[in-house]
Structures are given as C-alpha cells and as structure tokens.
Amino acid sequence: MYSLYFKRQFDIIISLLLLPLIVPVLTICGLLIKFEDRGPVFYFAKRLGKNKKVFKMYKLRSMKVNSPDIRNEDGSTYNSDKDPRLTKVGKLIRKTSLDELPQILNVLFGDMSFVGPRPDTPEALDYYTDDDLRKLEVRPGITGYSQAYYRNAVKQSEKFKNDIFYVNNISLYLDIKILILTVKNVLTSKNINS
C-alpha cells in the first residue's frame, strides 16, 4: 500500500511544504552562481525515470559553462574535490548538496521521489544487466539507499545492487531511515567523492 499509494502522496505534501523554505536558499545560490561567471543558474540533465521514461532533472549549475562530461570506466559520474570543471560556488553547493535542491520540483511534477534509486543517464542502459533494469520499476530519488549508506564511496555495480535491494524492500520505515542518514551524511560531508 505504501509504495503504490501513500509514497506519492507524501512526496507531494512534503514538496509543497518545503518549497517556501527552499526558495530563499535557491535565490541566494542563484545570485552567487550568476555573480561568479554570468552563466546560467540551472543545469538540466536528461535522466532515466520510472519505466525508462527520460525526463529533465533540475540542478543548480556547479560546473563551468560548456564543461566536458567526464565518466569513470563503469559509466558513473566522475567526482573529485579537485575537479577543474567546478566553479568556486560549485564546490560549495556540491559539498553541501545544495545543487540537488531544485529536484524538489521534479518530485512535485512526479518524475522523482524523495527516496529511490538515483537516476542514471539514458546511456546507463548500456551498462544495466537484466537485474539492474528493476530499478526502473520505481521513481528515482533525490536520495537513495546507496547515497544514505555509501554516498560516492562504492562502485557503480554496487550502487545498482543497492538500488535493487531498495526496490525489493520499499517501506515507510526504510524511507525515513534513508532520509535521516542522508541528512547526517550531508552535514558531516561524508563520502562526497569516490
């Protein structure tokens, strides 16, 4: 019952409650991003959603304009404190996960959930096994099991296994536990980079 009905209702209610609180934060971050290099404030990324639907995921831009897309050998996103593509503001909003705040709009629109497997690029389908495809049975999340427990400290294949674990065990209790651990990890800056 939770995963079929209540989870979506909770997402909508929490999104609506959080929006007035995050608008001032987004405004401040947006002004800092704009002031630094006059580039766009937001970054729109194509991501895989539920049932392989491709959607536009919203993020605050943390990289220099026209930066190349760098991937690890397993297809996962390259993360490093010393990434030369990051702007000064970008380093700060990445470290604090403020760049993810606009995804609350994705949650409100129904593309994402607060908790679920992190969305991959459409190209990630080339790396999926038949088992990995199960992660697309649910809405992707702003945070998920891997992010709460490991953030970027595990390989892509391990993240996929954790995503399947989540799909098989969705519950209100697990979602609350993941949200609490995510907040704790963000506040302590634990396992930000791989």
Side-chain angles (χ1 to χ4, degrees):
M1 285 292 287
Y2 171 71
S3 62
L4 289 176
Y5 303 106
F6 298 124
K7 186 173 168 66
R8 179 67 190 135
Q9 302 309 313
F10 288 147
D11 281 342
I12 293 169
I13 292 165
I14 295 168
S15 297
L16 291 171
L17 290 172
L18 287 177
L19 271 177
L21 301 174
I22 69 160
V23 167
V25 178
L26 290 176
T27 302
I28 292 166
C29 289
L31 289 170
L32 291 171
I33 291 166
K34 200 72 176 168
F35 180 74
E36 183 173 359
D37 65 5
R38 305 285 185 246
V41 170
F42 296 100
Y43 170 70
F44 305 103
K46 287 184 178 178
R47 292 291 184 262
L48 274 174
K50 185 177 179 182
N51 300 321
K52 297 185 186 176
K53 177 189 169 191
V54 176
F55 69 96
K56 194 183 287 186
M57 185 178 76
Y58 309 126
K59 293 185 81 168
L60 288 172
R61 181 176 60 86
S62 59
M63 292 189 183
K64 295 169 186 168
V65 177
N66 297 323
S67 290
D69 185 15
I70 301 174
R71 300 271 158 185
N72 296 316
E73 286 180 19
D74 61 3
S76 61
T77 305
Y78 172 75
N79 287 299
S80 170
D81 281 335
K82 294 179 174 46
D83 190 337
R85 299 173 300 163
L86 291 175
T87 62
K88 290 175 185 173
V89 175
K91 285 180 184 179
L92 173 67
I93 63 174
R94 276 269 187 99
K95 189 172 186 177
T96 56
S97 295
L98 291 173
D99 61 323
E100 311 283 356
L101 280 181
Q103 288 164 43
I104 289 176
L105 291 173
N106 287 116
V107 173
L108 190 58
F109 299 152
D111 296 319
M112 295 177 70
S113 177
F114 278 102
V115 181
R118 278 299 287 166
D120 295 314
T121 61
E123 295 77 23
L125 281 172
D126 298 336
Y127 297 91
Y128 282 9
T129 64
D130 288 342
D131 229 19
D132 296 335
L133 287 169
R134 295 215 45 233
K135 71 183 281 183
L136 301 178
E137 293 175 10
V138 299
R139 283 183 181 88
I142 294 177
T143 187
Y145 186 85
S146 265
Q147 287 65 40
Y149 286 90
Y150 310 103
R151 209 156 181 194
N152 290 313
V154 294
K155 293 182 180 178
Q156 187 81 327
S157 57
E158 191 64 33
K159 288 179 185 177
F160 288 167
K161 285 178 187 172
N162 293 333
D163 290 338
I164 303 309
F165 173 84
Y166 175 78
V167 171
N168 291 333
N169 294 281
I170 294 175
S171 68
L172 177 60
Y173 172 74
L174 183 58
D175 278 5
I176 291 170
K177 195 172 178 184
I178 287 169
L179 286 169
I180 291 168
L181 278 171
T182 299
V183 170
K184 182 181 171 189
N185 287 343
V186 168
L187 292 175
T188 59
S189 301
K190 185 179 177 185
N191 295 328
I192 295 172
N193 298 310
S194 50

Short mmCIF file of all heavy atoms in Angstrom, two decimals, residues 132-179:
data_model
loop_
_atom_site.label_atom_id
_atom_site.label_comp_id
_atom_site.label_asym_id
_atom_site.label_seq_id
_atom_site.Cartn_x
_atom_site.Cartn_y
_atom_site.Cartn_z
N ASP A 132 19.49 -5.19 -13.12
CA ASP A 132 19.58 -3.74 -12.88
C ASP A 132 18.36 -2.99 -13.40
O ASP A 132 18.00 -1.94 -12.86
CB ASP A 132 20.83 -3.16 -13.55
CG ASP A 132 22.13 -3.71 -12.96
OD1 ASP A 132 22.11 -4.14 -11.79
OD2 ASP A 132 23.15 -3.71 -13.67
N LEU A 133 17.72 -3.50 -14.43
CA LEU A 133 16.54 -2.86 -15.01
C LEU A 133 15.41 -2.71 -13.99
O LEU A 133 14.54 -1.86 -14.13
CB LEU A 133 16.04 -3.62 -16.23
CG LEU A 133 16.88 -3.50 -17.49
CD1 LEU A 133 16.43 -4.51 -18.54
CD2 LEU A 133 16.80 -2.09 -18.06
N ARG A 134 15.45 -3.53 -12.94
CA ARG A 134 14.40 -3.48 -11.92
C ARG A 134 14.37 -2.14 -11.20
O ARG A 134 13.32 -1.74 -10.70
CB ARG A 134 14.58 -4.61 -10.90
CG ARG A 134 14.40 -5.98 -11.53
CD ARG A 134 13.76 -6.99 -10.61
NE ARG A 134 12.62 -6.48 -9.89
CZ ARG A 134 12.50 -6.55 -8.55
NH1 ARG A 134 13.44 -7.09 -7.81
NH2 ARG A 134 11.43 -6.07 -7.95
N LYS A 135 15.49 -1.42 -11.19
CA LYS A 135 15.50 -0.13 -10.53
C LYS A 135 14.58 0.87 -11.23
O LYS A 135 14.17 1.87 -10.65
CB LYS A 135 16.91 0.42 -10.39
CG LYS A 135 17.56 0.87 -11.69
CD LYS A 135 18.99 1.34 -11.48
CE LYS A 135 19.03 2.73 -10.92
NZ LYS A 135 20.38 3.27 -10.77
N LEU A 136 14.23 0.58 -12.48
CA LEU A 136 13.35 1.46 -13.25
C LEU A 136 11.87 1.15 -13.01
O LEU A 136 11.00 1.73 -13.65
CB LEU A 136 13.68 1.37 -14.74
CG LEU A 136 15.13 1.74 -15.10
CD1 LEU A 136 15.37 1.56 -16.59
CD2 LEU A 136 15.47 3.16 -14.66
N GLU A 137 11.60 0.25 -12.08
CA GLU A 137 10.20 -0.06 -11.72
C GLU A 137 9.63 0.98 -10.77
O GLU A 137 8.43 1.02 -10.53
CB GLU A 137 10.12 -1.45 -11.06
CG GLU A 137 10.44 -2.59 -12.01
CD GLU A 137 10.47 -3.95 -11.30
OE1 GLU A 137 10.06 -4.03 -10.12
OE2 GLU A 137 10.92 -4.92 -11.93
N VAL A 138 10.51 1.81 -10.20
CA VAL A 138 10.08 2.83 -9.24
C VAL A 138 10.61 4.20 -9.67
O VAL A 138 11.52 4.29 -10.49
CB VAL A 138 10.56 2.51 -7.80
CG1 VAL A 138 10.01 1.18 -7.31
CG2 VAL A 138 12.09 2.52 -7.73
N ARG A 139 10.04 5.26 -9.11
CA ARG A 139 10.55 6.59 -9.39
C ARG A 139 11.95 6.74 -8.80
O ARG A 139 12.19 6.30 -7.67
CB ARG A 139 9.63 7.66 -8.78
CG ARG A 139 8.35 7.90 -9.54
CD ARG A 139 7.53 9.03 -8.90
NE ARG A 139 6.30 9.22 -9.63
CZ ARG A 139 5.16 8.56 -9.38
NH1 ARG A 139 5.12 7.67 -8.41
NH2 ARG A 139 4.09 8.79 -10.11
N PRO A 140 12.86 7.38 -9.52
CA PRO A 140 14.18 7.65 -8.95
C PRO A 140 14.06 8.66 -7.82
O PRO A 140 13.06 9.38 -7.73
CB PRO A 140 14.98 8.21 -10.14
CG PRO A 140 13.96 8.74 -11.07
CD PRO A 140 12.72 7.92 -10.89
N GLY A 141 15.09 8.72 -6.98
CA GLY A 141 15.01 9.59 -5.81
C GLY A 141 16.07 10.67 -5.76
O GLY A 141 17.12 10.56 -6.39
N ILE A 142 15.78 11.71 -4.98
CA ILE A 142 16.79 12.73 -4.69
C ILE A 142 17.90 12.07 -3.87
O ILE A 142 19.08 12.35 -4.03
CB ILE A 142 16.18 13.92 -3.92
CG1 ILE A 142 15.18 14.67 -4.81
CG2 ILE A 142 17.28 14.87 -3.43
CD1 ILE A 142 14.48 15.82 -4.12
N THR A 143 17.50 11.16 -3.00
CA THR A 143 18.46 10.34 -2.27
C THR A 143 17.98 8.90 -2.33
O THR A 143 16.85 8.62 -2.72
CB THR A 143 18.61 10.79 -0.80
OG1 THR A 143 19.70 10.05 -0.20
CG2 THR A 143 17.34 10.58 0.00
N GLY A 144 18.86 8.00 -1.96
CA GLY A 144 18.50 6.58 -2.01
C GLY A 144 19.34 5.77 -1.03
O GLY A 144 20.12 6.33 -0.26
N TYR A 145 19.17 4.48 -1.08
CA TYR A 145 19.87 3.58 -0.16
C TYR A 145 21.39 3.74 -0.27
O TYR A 145 22.08 3.90 0.75
CB TYR A 145 19.45 2.13 -0.46
CG TYR A 145 20.01 1.13 0.52
CD1 TYR A 145 19.35 0.88 1.72
CD2 TYR A 145 21.19 0.44 0.25
CE1 TYR A 145 19.86 -0.04 2.63
CE2 TYR A 145 21.70 -0.48 1.15
CZ TYR A 145 21.03 -0.72 2.34
OH TYR A 145 21.55 -1.62 3.23
N SER A 146 21.91 3.75 -1.50
CA SER A 146 23.36 3.91 -1.69
C SER A 146 23.85 5.24 -1.18
O SER A 146 24.91 5.33 -0.55
CB SER A 146 23.73 3.76 -3.17
OG SER A 146 24.13 2.45 -3.45
N GLN A 147 23.09 6.32 -1.46
CA GLN A 147 23.51 7.65 -1.03
C GLN A 147 23.52 7.76 0.49
O GLN A 147 24.42 8.36 1.06
CB GLN A 147 22.58 8.72 -1.62
CG GLN A 147 22.77 8.96 -3.10
CD GLN A 147 22.41 7.75 -3.94
OE1 GLN A 147 21.43 7.07 -3.66
NE2 GLN A 147 23.20 7.46 -4.95
N ALA A 148 22.55 7.16 1.13
CA ALA A 148 22.45 7.24 2.59
C ALA A 148 23.58 6.46 3.26
O ALA A 148 24.16 6.94 4.24
CB ALA A 148 21.10 6.70 3.06
N TYR A 149 23.90 5.30 2.73
CA TYR A 149 24.88 4.44 3.39
C TYR A 149 26.31 4.62 2.88
O TYR A 149 27.26 4.44 3.62
CB TYR A 149 24.47 2.97 3.27
CG TYR A 149 23.32 2.62 4.19
CD1 TYR A 149 22.00 2.75 3.76
CD2 TYR A 149 23.53 2.21 5.49
CE1 TYR A 149 20.93 2.45 4.59
CE2 TYR A 149 22.48 1.91 6.34
CZ TYR A 149 21.18 2.03 5.88
OH TYR A 149 20.12 1.75 6.72
N TYR A 150 26.44 4.97 1.58
CA TYR A 150 27.79 4.99 0.98
C TYR A 150 28.12 6.26 0.22
O TYR A 150 29.27 6.49 -0.11
CB TYR A 150 27.96 3.79 0.04
CG TYR A 150 27.57 2.48 0.66
CD1 TYR A 150 26.37 1.86 0.34
CD2 TYR A 150 28.41 1.86 1.59
CE1 TYR A 150 25.99 0.67 0.92
CE2 TYR A 150 28.04 0.67 2.18
CZ TYR A 150 26.83 0.07 1.84
OH TYR A 150 26.46 -1.11 2.42
N ARG A 151 27.11 7.07 -0.12
CA ARG A 151 27.24 8.25 -0.97
C ARG A 151 28.02 7.88 -2.23
O ARG A 151 27.52 7.14 -3.04
CB ARG A 151 27.87 9.41 -0.21
CG ARG A 151 27.39 10.75 -0.75
CD ARG A 151 27.47 11.87 0.23
NE ARG A 151 26.96 13.12 -0.34
CZ ARG A 151 27.15 14.29 0.19
NH1 ARG A 151 27.83 14.40 1.32
NH2 ARG A 151 26.66 15.37 -0.37
N ASN A 152 29.26 8.36 -2.42
CA ASN A 152 30.02 8.03 -3.64
C ASN A 152 31.19 7.08 -3.36
O ASN A 152 32.13 7.01 -4.13
CB ASN A 152 30.53 9.31 -4.31
CG ASN A 152 29.40 10.10 -4.93
OD1 ASN A 152 28.55 9.55 -5.62
ND2 ASN A 152 29.38 11.39 -4.67
N ALA A 153 31.12 6.36 -2.25
CA ALA A 153 32.26 5.53 -1.84
C ALA A 153 32.22 4.10 -2.38
O ALA A 153 33.07 3.30 -2.05
CB ALA A 153 32.36 5.50 -0.31
N VAL A 154 31.23 3.77 -3.22
CA VAL A 154 31.16 2.43 -3.80
C VAL A 154 31.08 2.51 -5.32
O VAL A 154 30.71 3.54 -5.88
CB VAL A 154 29.94 1.62 -3.26
CG1 VAL A 154 30.09 1.33 -1.79
CG2 VAL A 154 28.64 2.32 -3.55
N LYS A 155 31.45 1.41 -5.97
CA LYS A 155 31.42 1.37 -7.44
C LYS A 155 29.99 1.35 -7.96
O LYS A 155 29.06 1.01 -7.23
CB LYS A 155 32.17 0.12 -7.93
CG LYS A 155 33.65 0.17 -7.66
CD LYS A 155 34.33 -1.05 -8.21
CE LYS A 155 35.82 -1.02 -7.94
NZ LYS A 155 36.51 -2.21 -8.42
N GLN A 156 29.85 1.66 -9.24
CA GLN A 156 28.54 1.71 -9.88
C GLN A 156 27.79 0.39 -9.75
O GLN A 156 26.59 0.37 -9.48
CB GLN A 156 28.71 2.09 -11.36
CG GLN A 156 27.42 2.34 -12.10
CD GLN A 156 26.88 3.73 -11.87
OE1 GLN A 156 27.03 4.30 -10.79
NE2 GLN A 156 26.24 4.28 -12.86
N SER A 157 28.50 -0.72 -9.94
CA SER A 157 27.84 -2.03 -9.87
C SER A 157 27.25 -2.28 -8.48
O SER A 157 26.17 -2.85 -8.33
CB SER A 157 28.83 -3.16 -10.22
OG SER A 157 29.97 -3.11 -9.37
N GLU A 158 27.96 -1.81 -7.45
CA GLU A 158 27.47 -1.95 -6.07
C GLU A 158 26.26 -1.04 -5.84
O GLU A 158 25.31 -1.43 -5.16
CB GLU A 158 28.59 -1.61 -5.08
CG GLU A 158 28.29 -1.97 -3.65
CD GLU A 158 28.11 -3.47 -3.41
OE1 GLU A 158 28.77 -4.26 -4.09
OE2 GLU A 158 27.29 -3.81 -2.54
N LYS A 159 26.30 0.16 -6.43
CA LYS A 159 25.15 1.07 -6.33
C LYS A 159 23.91 0.42 -6.94
O LYS A 159 22.81 0.51 -6.39
CB LYS A 159 25.45 2.39 -7.03
CG LYS A 159 26.42 3.28 -6.30
CD LYS A 159 26.67 4.57 -7.08
CE LYS A 159 27.75 5.41 -6.42
NZ LYS A 159 28.05 6.62 -7.19
N PHE A 160 24.09 -0.24 -8.08
CA PHE A 160 22.96 -0.90 -8.74
C PHE A 160 22.38 -2.00 -7.85
O PHE A 160 21.17 -2.14 -7.75
CB PHE A 160 23.38 -1.48 -10.10
CG PHE A 160 23.62 -0.46 -11.17
CD1 PHE A 160 24.24 -0.82 -12.35
CD2 PHE A 160 23.24 0.86 -11.02
CE1 PHE A 160 24.46 0.11 -13.36
CE2 PHE A 160 23.45 1.80 -12.02
CZ PHE A 160 24.07 1.43 -13.20
N LYS A 161 23.26 -2.77 -7.20
CA LYS A 161 22.79 -3.83 -6.29
C LYS A 161 22.00 -3.22 -5.12
O LYS A 161 20.97 -3.76 -4.71
CB LYS A 161 23.98 -4.64 -5.74
CG LYS A 161 24.58 -5.60 -6.74
CD LYS A 161 25.77 -6.33 -6.15
CE LYS A 161 26.48 -7.15 -7.21
NZ LYS A 161 27.74 -7.73 -6.72
N ASN A 162 22.50 -2.11 -4.60
CA ASN A 162 21.80 -1.43 -3.52
C ASN A 162 20.44 -0.89 -3.98
O ASN A 162 19.48 -0.90 -3.22
CB ASN A 162 22.66 -0.28 -2.97
CG ASN A 162 23.90 -0.77 -2.27
OD1 ASN A 162 23.95 -1.88 -1.75
ND2 ASN A 162 24.94 0.04 -2.26
N ASP A 163 20.38 -0.44 -5.23
CA ASP A 163 19.11 0.05 -5.79
C ASP A 163 18.08 -1.08 -5.85
O ASP A 163 16.91 -0.88 -5.52
CB ASP A 163 19.33 0.62 -7.20
CG ASP A 163 20.11 1.93 -7.19
OD1 ASP A 163 20.15 2.60 -6.14
OD2 ASP A 163 20.68 2.27 -8.24
N ILE A 164 18.53 -2.26 -6.25
CA ILE A 164 17.62 -3.41 -6.33
C ILE A 164 17.17 -3.82 -4.92
O ILE A 164 16.00 -4.16 -4.71
CB ILE A 164 18.28 -4.62 -7.05
CG1 ILE A 164 18.75 -4.21 -8.45
CG2 ILE A 164 17.33 -5.80 -7.12
CD1 ILE A 164 17.72 -3.52 -9.31
N PHE A 165 18.09 -3.75 -3.96
CA PHE A 165 17.71 -4.04 -2.57
C PHE A 165 16.59 -3.10 -2.15
O PHE A 165 15.62 -3.51 -1.54
CB PHE A 165 18.92 -3.89 -1.64
CG PHE A 165 18.56 -3.99 -0.19
CD1 PHE A 165 18.45 -5.23 0.43
CD2 PHE A 165 18.30 -2.84 0.57
CE1 PHE A 165 18.08 -5.33 1.77
CE2 PHE A 165 17.94 -2.93 1.91
CZ PHE A 165 17.83 -4.18 2.51
N TYR A 166 16.73 -1.81 -2.50
CA TYR A 166 15.71 -0.84 -2.13
C TYR A 166 14.37 -1.18 -2.79
O TYR A 166 13.33 -1.18 -2.13
CB TYR A 166 16.14 0.58 -2.52
CG TYR A 166 15.03 1.59 -2.25
CD1 TYR A 166 14.78 2.04 -0.97
CD2 TYR A 166 14.21 2.03 -3.29
CE1 TYR A 166 13.75 2.92 -0.70
CE2 TYR A 166 13.17 2.91 -3.03
CZ TYR A 166 12.95 3.35 -1.75
OH TYR A 166 11.91 4.20 -1.49
N VAL A 167 14.39 -1.47 -4.09
CA VAL A 167 13.16 -1.80 -4.82
C VAL A 167 12.45 -2.98 -4.17
O VAL A 167 11.22 -3.00 -4.05
CB VAL A 167 13.46 -2.10 -6.31
CG1 VAL A 167 12.23 -2.66 -7.03
CG2 VAL A 167 13.95 -0.85 -7.03
N ASN A 168 13.22 -3.95 -3.71
CA ASN A 168 12.64 -5.15 -3.08
C ASN A 168 12.15 -4.92 -1.66
O ASN A 168 11.43 -5.77 -1.12
CB ASN A 168 13.67 -6.29 -3.06
CG ASN A 168 13.96 -6.83 -4.45
OD1 ASN A 168 13.11 -6.75 -5.34
ND2 ASN A 168 15.15 -7.37 -4.65
N ASN A 169 12.56 -3.80 -1.05
CA ASN A 169 12.26 -3.60 0.37
C ASN A 169 11.63 -2.25 0.69
O ASN A 169 11.72 -1.79 1.83
CB ASN A 169 13.55 -3.77 1.19
CG ASN A 169 14.08 -5.18 1.14
OD1 ASN A 169 13.60 -6.07 1.84
ND2 ASN A 169 15.08 -5.41 0.29
N ILE A 170 11.00 -1.61 -0.28
CA ILE A 170 10.40 -0.29 -0.04
C ILE A 170 9.44 -0.34 1.14
O ILE A 170 8.57 -1.20 1.20
CB ILE A 170 9.65 0.22 -1.29
CG1 ILE A 170 10.62 0.49 -2.43
CG2 ILE A 170 8.88 1.50 -0.98
CD1 ILE A 170 9.93 0.87 -3.73
N SER A 171 9.62 0.62 2.04
CA SER A 171 8.69 0.76 3.17
C SER A 171 8.85 2.16 3.73
O SER A 171 9.86 2.84 3.49
CB SER A 171 9.01 -0.26 4.27
OG SER A 171 10.25 0.03 4.89
N LEU A 172 7.87 2.62 4.47
CA LEU A 172 7.94 3.92 5.12
C LEU A 172 9.12 3.96 6.08
O LEU A 172 9.87 4.95 6.13
CB LEU A 172 6.63 4.22 5.86
CG LEU A 172 6.58 5.53 6.65
CD1 LEU A 172 6.81 6.73 5.75
CD2 LEU A 172 5.26 5.65 7.40
N TYR A 173 9.32 2.89 6.83
CA TYR A 173 10.43 2.82 7.79
C TYR A 173 11.77 2.99 7.08
O TYR A 173 12.63 3.76 7.52
CB TYR A 173 10.38 1.49 8.54
CG TYR A 173 11.58 1.25 9.42
CD1 TYR A 173 11.73 1.94 10.63
CD2 TYR A 173 12.58 0.36 9.03
CE1 TYR A 173 12.85 1.74 11.43
CE2 TYR A 173 13.70 0.15 9.83
CZ TYR A 173 13.83 0.84 11.02
OH TYR A 173 14.94 0.66 11.80
N LEU A 174 11.96 2.27 5.96
CA LEU A 174 13.23 2.35 5.24
C LEU A 174 13.43 3.75 4.66
O LEU A 174 14.53 4.30 4.72
CB LEU A 174 13.28 1.30 4.12
CG LEU A 174 14.58 1.23 3.31
CD1 LEU A 174 15.78 0.95 4.20
CD2 LEU A 174 14.47 0.17 2.21
N ASP A 175 12.37 4.34 4.12
CA ASP A 175 12.48 5.70 3.57
C ASP A 175 12.87 6.71 4.64
O ASP A 175 13.73 7.56 4.43
CB ASP A 175 11.16 6.13 2.92
CG ASP A 175 11.01 5.58 1.50
OD1 ASP A 175 11.87 4.80 1.06
OD2 ASP A 175 10.02 5.95 0.84
N ILE A 176 12.28 6.62 5.82
CA ILE A 176 12.61 7.54 6.92
C ILE A 176 14.06 7.34 7.35
O ILE A 176 14.80 8.31 7.55
CB ILE A 176 11.64 7.35 8.11
CG1 ILE A 176 10.24 7.85 7.73
CG2 ILE A 176 12.16 8.07 9.36
CD1 ILE A 176 9.15 7.51 8.73
N LYS A 177 14.48 6.09 7.44
CA LYS A 177 15.86 5.78 7.82
C LYS A 177 16.85 6.37 6.81
O LYS A 177 17.86 6.97 7.18
CB LYS A 177 16.02 4.26 7.90
CG LYS A 177 17.26 3.79 8.61
CD LYS A 177 17.22 2.29 8.81
CE LYS A 177 18.48 1.80 9.47
NZ LYS A 177 18.52 0.34 9.60
N ILE A 178 16.53 6.22 5.52
CA ILE A 178 17.39 6.75 4.45
C ILE A 178 17.46 8.27 4.52
O ILE A 178 18.54 8.86 4.39
CB ILE A 178 16.89 6.27 3.07
CG1 ILE A 178 17.21 4.78 2.89
CG2 ILE A 178 17.50 7.09 1.93
CD1 ILE A 178 16.55 4.12 1.69
N LEU A 179 16.33 8.92 4.73
CA LEU A 179 16.30 10.38 4.81
C LEU A 179 17.14 10.88 5.99
O LEU A 179 17.92 11.84 5.85
CB LEU A 179 14.86 10.89 4.94
CG LEU A 179 14.03 10.82 3.66
CD1 LEU A 179 12.57 11.07 3.96
CD2 LEU A 179 14.54 11.80 2.61
#
